[in-house]
Amino acid sequence: MNSIKSICCIGAGYVGGPTMAVIAQKNPHIQVTVVDINEARIAAWNESDLTKLPVYEPGLPEVVAEARGRNLFFSSDVNKAIDEAEMIFISVNTPTKNYGIGKGQAADLKFVELCARQIAAVAKQDKIVVEKSTLPVRTAESIKRIFDATNGDVKFQILSNPEFLAEGTAINDLHNADRILIGGEIETPEGNAAIEALVQVYESWIPRERIITTRLWSSELSKLTANAFLAQRISSINAISALCERTGADVDEVAHAIGKDSRIGPKFLKSSVGFGGSCFQKDILNLVYLCNHFGLPEVADYWEQVIKMNDYQKHRFAMSIINALFDTVSGKKITFLGWAFKKDTNDTRESAAIYIADELIQDQAEVHVYDPQVSPEQIKNDLIYLWTQRGVSADEAQKRFEQAVTIYSEPTEALKQAHAVAILTEWDEFKSYDWASIYASMLKPAFVFDGRNILDKEQLEAIGFKVKAIGKG
Ligand code: NAD
Ligand code: UGA
């Protein structure tokens, strides 16, 4: 196989955009075109003002500035890009199914299937098709069947190349990946040639020994497994945080102590209000679905517990606010600092903030929100989507939002006359606020609920705050 000269990526989201920007940056000889059916998103990727890119990610504007217009292009002409590319990445969303068989657990593969059908319909020359989206094991088999049934003239090689970047650190993760995983048909010469073509793309900046090649099914399953293990660590430390609160132990001290064991390691042991993000929950639910599908209910139950513990942690946090505020938050101003699911991203998918706001609003709280990167429209969409999914009419959801939620573009007004502050996202700027003046501007007793353990509890208590932090007795 000759070196690849043209790549198309279908899906210009949080993965497709940054990943292709880095591939283009590191491979100036490859033409990379990222396409999407969402024209507004493509227009935002083409914005000359780089602060308006659709994905907020430190370091991304610099990478886009270097490659865009040289060998990186964003377009909504999907067919043209498919036709011209030798290698096509599928990087579309694979959310949890919210209808039909597998509702609430299985991955919804309709967007992936549509891509496969479109590629099959358009392709006139042989193509390498790369699964970048996170997919259930053996999805490549279904894609291959679509290709074989639709377009017998063209030869397709299917590879699995799951993405391991985390939002907020995507550019660093892409530049210095722990590993690149490529699954393919290692049994055939054509399969090996396709794998080698993709290895060459990554070898431009990733050392060869960090590029792992496996069978297709191992690659697909490794992605779900990695996310399940990562989420499991958070649920494990969050479970211990509940016990710390009852016993007077400090969860950060426990995490530090166990993390020094080289077999456990220090990363991903930060107790929190609960993990969010578009993938941990959806990928574990998908794993649970697959285990049940393959007749392994005990294995399914084991992994499902990671999600249950996460739901418990979110609920526990909401209840700790209600209980501390004398068992009712009715008519009380509760200020949320942070809405994103973690710092350094504008992404709010499955953010713990959404569920905690909902619980407090059910108890008639007034929720006031400030987040440095999330737009007011996004916050509104998140809550209205949650409520309408639960059967509330669109009109009723709108009314509920207007009554219960106020959004701010700066923190001072958000905090003035509040009964309590809840830290939902660990944005660095919250640490450097003048907490003494915030205290002066709030109603007394003034409460802080630190869902991320980023503030100095003793210092806040010395100012006069009543403080509740995760896993601190
Ligand atoms: P996203 O929703 O941000 O982006 C997906 C994009 O695909 C959307 O812009 C959508 O309009 C587009 N799209 C859908 N169907 C299309 C079609 N037929 N033709 C053209 N465009 C189409 O999703 P994301 O966060 O980038 O995730 C994509 C995949 O990567 C998912 O499978 C996810 O599990 C996986 N993943 C995500 C992350 C992450 O940090 N977000 C990390 C690793 C893996
Ligand atoms: C996660 C994985 O880390 C990536 O490797 C993977 O590619 C990605 O999912 C995916 O498949 O989408 P991401 O969700 O972007 O990345 O961010 P994380 O840093 O993993 O954080 C996820 C959630 O866990 C956040 O809400 C974060 O605040 C929380 N978290 C993380 C904790 O509560 N404690 C920790 O110690 C770490």
Side-chain angles (χ1 to χ4, degrees):
M1 164 75 62
N2 293 325
S3 300
I4 293 294
K5 290 183 202 63
S6 53
I7 286 177
C8 153
C9 173
I10 309 180
Y14 284 86
V15 167
T19 310
M20 291 303 129
V22 169
I23 287 184
Q25 179 196 28
K26 301 293 184 184
N27 290 282
H29 57 287
I30 301 180
Q31 160 130 348
V32 179
T33 307
V34 190
V35 292
D36 206 295
I37 38 174
N38 182 338
E39 295 196 3
R41 216 166 198 184
I42 290 298
W45 280 112
N46 283 321
E47 260 286 344
S48 50
D49 178 354
L50 290 168
T51 62
K52 294 197 177 136
L53 295 179
V55 169
Y56 173 76
E57 195 61 68
L60 177 63
E62 291 80 355
V63 177
V64 171
E66 187 182 331
R68 198 177 60 188
R70 178 188 71 185
N71 65 323
L72 173 66
F73 302 93
F74 294 93
S75 160
S76 45
D77 193 342
V78 183
N79 283 351
K80 180 166 182 279
I82 291 175
D83 182 34
E84 287 173 359
E86 294 161 279
M87 180 177 272
I88 301 166
F89 286 76
I90 299 180
S91 188
V92 298
N93 36 329
T94 49
T96 304
K97 249 183 123 178
N98 59 5
Y99 57 89
I101 297 169
K103 178 179 174 179
Q105 276 196 339
D108 190 344
L109 298 181
K110 72 174 171 218
F111 305 109
V112 173
E113 187 180 331
L114 278 171
C115 289
R117 290 187 185 280
Q118 193 164 1
I119 294 168
V122 171
K124 298 193 273 294
Q125 279 127 24
D126 297 353
K127 308 270 181 208
I128 299 174
V129 176
V130 185
E131 300 172 343
K132 188 51 122 177
S133 298
T134 302
L135 297 167
V137 198
R138 300 196 83 92
T139 303
E141 203 167 38
S142 314
I143 295 179
K144 192 166 171 19
R145 247 190 277 143
I146 291 173
F147 288 156
D148 290 347
T150 322
N151 190 336
D153 305 333
V154 171
K155 288 201 187 67
F156 294 97
Q157 272 299 321
I158 303 170
L159 300 178
S160 157
N161 172 222
E163 186 47 59
F164 296 100
L165 68 80
E167 290 177 29
T169 54
I171 298 302
N172 188 47
D173 294 344
L174 289 163
H175 281 162
N176 306 298
D178 286 342
R179 75 334 203 157
I180 297 295
L181 179 57
I182 301 172
E185 281 183 10
I186 53 175
E187 308 80 8
T188 65
E190 297 83 5
N192 272 309
I195 292 173
E196 198 41 43
L198 185 53
V199 166
Q200 274 185 26
V201 172
Y202 283 108
E203 256 187 332
S204 299
W205 80 100
I206 302 286
R208 183 66 182 84
E209 62 275 15
R210 278 199 240 150
I211 305 176
I212 304 170
T213 55
T214 64
R215 290 177 175 75
L216 264 171
W217 319 136
S218 307
S219 172
E220 289 176 336
L221 185 55
S222 298
K223 174 62 195 176
L224 293 183
T225 308
N227 273 359
F229 270 58
L230 289 168
Q232 180 201 45
R233 274 173 80 92
I234 304 169
S235 277
S236 297
I237 198 68
N238 282 344
I240 297 301
S241 78
L243 190 56
C244 286
E245 288 167 29
R246 294 282 164 90
T247 57
D250 179 317
V251 75
D252 287 335
E253 289 179 354
V254 173
H256 180 71
I258 64 165
K260 285 289 176 195
D261 185 324
S262 59
R263 294 167 302 175
I264 296 175
K267 294 184 181 167
F268 252 71
L269 285 178
K270 185 73 185 157
S271 188
S272 68
V273 61
F275 61 74
S278 62
C279 294
F280 279 170
Q281 174 164 305
K282 115 177 137 58
D283 291 348
I284 294 177
L285 287 172
N286 184 4
L287 189 63
V288 168
Y289 180 77
L290 284 173
C291 292
N292 278 321
H293 174 81
F294 286 103
L296 300 167
E298 289 80 2
V299 185
D301 290 350
Y302 174 78
W303 286 111
E304 193 167 16
Q305 197 58 33
V306 173
I307 303 284
K308 286 187 180 160
M309 183 53 60
N310 197 48
D311 289 340
Y312 171 68
Q313 188 75 349
K314 292 183 271 190
H315 174 63
R316 231 164 56 73
F317 188 74
M319 286 311 295
S320 79
I321 298 178
I322 296 172
N323 293 341
L325 293 178
F326 317 107
D327 290 327
T328 176
V329 287
S330 180
K332 292 182 181 166
K333 175 173 177 178
I334 316 287
T335 301
F336 278 27
L337 290 182
W339 190 265
F341 81 98
K342 64 184 285 195
K343 74 170 180 178
D344 291 338
T345 178
N346 59 346
D347 194 348
T348 64
R349 290 177 287 182
E350 291 301 326
S351 179
I354 303 168
Y355 297 93
I356 289 156
D358 171 58
E359 278 207 46
L360 297 179
I361 290 166
Q362 283 183 39
D363 208 72
Q364 301 183 346
E366 288 177 13
V367 173
H368 296 244
V369 187
Y370 165 69
D371 185 289
Q373 285 297 336
V374 178
S375 69
E377 299 74 49
Q378 187 59 51
I379 296 171
K380 184 173 176 183
N381 287 345
D382 289 339
L383 283 169
I384 289 190
Y385 179 77
L386 177 74
W387 293 331
T388 49
Q389 282 292 303
R390 287 183 184 160
V392 177
S393 73
D395 282 352
E396 181 53 36
Q398 175 79 21
K399 213 156 67 197
R400 194 184 289 183
F401 179 84
E402 278 160 17
Q403 271 166 7
V405 185
T406 313
I407 300 165
Y408 299 79
S409 57
E410 59 78 49
T412 317
E413 282 302 312
L415 290 157
K416 208 177 269 174
Q417 297 288 304
H419 291 78
V421 188
I423 311 280
L424 274 305
T425 312
E426 71 281 24
W427 287 103
D428 288 333
E429 68 172 64
F430 301 156
K431 296 188 220 166
S432 58
Y433 283 3
D434 178 352
W435 284 95
S437 354
I438 292 173
Y439 180 75
S441 76
M442 286 174 61
L443 297 180
K444 311 296 176 321
F447 289 87
V448 171
F449 298 91
D450 187 353
R452 296 291 184 165
N453 288 351
I454 54 166
L455 301 177
D456 187 324
K457 188 166 182 269
E458 277 82 38
Q459 250 175 35
L460 291 180
E461 283 169 346
I463 293 171
F465 281 107
K466 306 270 176 239
V467 184
K468 284 206 163 276
I470 304 278
K472 313 248 177 198

